[in-house]
Amino acid sequence: MQTEDIAAALAKARAAVEGAGGYTADETTDRDATGHDRSRIVLRVPPAEYDAVLGRLAGLGKLLSREVSAKDVTAQVVDTDSRIRSQRASVARVRALMEKATTIGDIVSLESELSTREANLESLEAQLKSLKESTGTATVTLLLRQPDAAPGDRDEDRPTSFGDALSGGWHAFLTAVRWVLVAVGAVLPFAVAAGLLYALWRLVRDRLPVTRRRPRTAGGYTPQPAGGAADAPGVAGPAEASDTAAEGDREPR
């Protein structure tokens, strides 16, 4: 069920079951990730008051889903009762043997066996008591949550409706947006600092003097300064003179 005031709904549910002669067997209240309250309460109701209690609980809020089931435990009760009678007889036989035991070894062995059988008997008696309580009272499990609250772990067995899927998708979207904003907020100071450093570097680089390099000729020869003897017209440089002499030596004589 969906209700705005979880505490008030729980108080009314307890009053309804106590007024019918039942009691509260279990109760759990917590909050989801968004801060909405949700609660699970298990009520034990006399079978004769079952319908009346359900009618009172229907006024606690908006009914989202309801499931009714019955379980026949008659066979379990009969089987457990039979096992209890057999175990009691077994315990009685061990006690009779202990009265006839004469040695310490026999007494110790019988005491150990008696303890084991008595423990099994107590376990069977507890099972029978639980079965009788379940047949003597009807169990009502009431799940309460505020609007927009996420379903609890105990709601997993209930089929998922379109509204649950839509609500879950909306919460997932809000969670993703919240994480994106957190990431942007964490990165933003570093991005601003990097932008300021880049702008400062551009400003300093534009004010630095530019160093120009002297261009080289296609042949890899760098001309001599003007006024040098090598630049005078008609005068061959050292490399040209060497080439001319070599050509002269190759002429036929």
Side-chain angles (χ1 to χ4, degrees), residues 134-152:
S134 63
T135 57
T137 58
T139 302
V140 179
T141 303
L142 179 62
L143 302 175
L144 298 169
R145 69 170 185 261
Q146 290 181 326
D148 298 330

Side-chain angles (χ1 to χ4, degrees), residues 96-110:
L97 291 174
M98 287 184 62
E99 294 178 357
K100 299 178 181 179
T102 56
T103 64
I104 299 298
D106 291 342
I107 294 175
V108 171
S109 177
L110 290 173

Side-chain angles (χ1 to χ4, degrees), residues 151-177:
D153 296 337
R154 305 296 181 89
D155 294 346
E156 294 179 352
D157 297 335
R158 183 176 57 84
T160 302
S161 63
F162 175 78
D164 294 335
L166 185 62
S167 177
W170 177 249
H171 285 297
F173 173 75
L174 293 179
T175 302
V177 171

Side-chain angles (χ1 to χ4, degrees), residues 27-95:
E27 181 179 339
T28 303
T29 302
D30 63 355
R31 288 187 176 181
D32 62 4
T34 59
H36 295 89
D37 293 334
R38 54 192 180 184
S39 180
R40 177 182 183 271
I41 183 171
V42 179
L43 308 173
R44 302 292 187 184
V45 184
E49 301 292 334
Y50 179 76
D51 293 332
V53 170
L54 289 183
R56 296 189 186 97
L57 297 179
L60 297 180
K62 179 182 178 181
L63 179 64
L64 299 179
S65 65
R66 175 179 174 180
E67 181 181 354
V68 180
S69 62
K71 183 178 180 180
D72 188 3
V73 295
T74 303
Q76 296 182 18
V77 172
V78 173
D79 179 67
T80 304
D81 191 25
S82 175
R83 292 171 62 187
I84 287 176
R85 289 196 300 269
S86 299
Q87 195 66 24
R88 285 174 178 171
S90 177
V91 170
R93 287 195 299 270
V94 174
R95 287 176 177 173

